[in-house]
Amino acid sequence: MRILLVEDEPAMASALRSALTRQDMIVDHLATRADAEAMLSESRGIYDAVLLDRQLPDGDGLDLVRRLRAKGDTVPVLMLTARGDLIDRVAGLDHGADDYLGKPFAFEELLARLRALLRRPPGMRSDTVRIGRLSFDFVHRETRVAGQMLAMPRRELLVLESLMRRMGRMVLRTFLMEAVFGLDDEIQSNALDTHVSRLRRKLAEADAGATIDGIRGVGYLIRETT
Ligand code: CA
């Protein structure tokens, strides 16, 4: 999953960024409201959530949330703020933030709130989806084959997560690239295909009953093995 972090304090930003990266998330970091607004309107749909500091150098993060919602953008937003009192919390939620966390906070709490926001892919009734003998739990981001945990490196996990969210449907290559690589990553054009090949091999070796099909240059989909 890919998170946009909007935070102007360098120490806080770098701590959050490395903590979230350790949780196998792709984190893009911006420091101003204007940059965040430009990024969100340009790249609509690529972020699974926004972590938004309220007090930004060029204004109040709340205004950004209000403008996003006015444009119909429903990306989950978790506001971070030094003002943790009740009035501010209510104001944040009134303006369309999904949740509100006062600084200082424990990182475990932030993760728990983030997980709650990301709990269900749109339109899905369960936290776990299954295809063949393969299951993927979106809350804990665990992959299992017939109940046995299947470990995999970060990028392969991110590819599988994107495919499982839209299983049986073609996921465009551009979308997968955005899900798997952050702004600061150096990307080789064949890197995505390498991750997909490894993942495909892993599923076959584990006899997962699921496989990944691709259309060259277009995208990939995951389906049950017939
Ligand atoms: Ca700030």
Side-chain angles (χ1 to χ4, degrees), residues 54-72:
R54 178 152 179 199
Q55 288 150 299
L56 293 167
D58 55 345
D60 190 335
L62 266 191
D63 293 333
L64 174 59
V65 179
R66 194 165 34 211
R67 289 157 73 127
L68 285 176
R69 297 308 182 231
K71 285 189 267 183

Side-chain angles (χ1 to χ4, degrees), residues 77-80 89 92-93 96-101 113-114 116-117:
V77 176
L78 174 54
M79 296 278 302
L80 303 175
R89 189 184 158 85
L93 300 177
D98 296 274
D99 202 356
Y100 205 84
L101 192 56
R113 302 281 191 98
L114 202 51
L117 284 190

Side-chain angles (χ1 to χ4, degrees), residues 25-37:
M25 297 178 185
I26 295 288
V27 181
D28 294 329
H29 168 237
L30 297 172
T32 66
R33 197 184 70 169
D35 284 349
E37 185 165 5

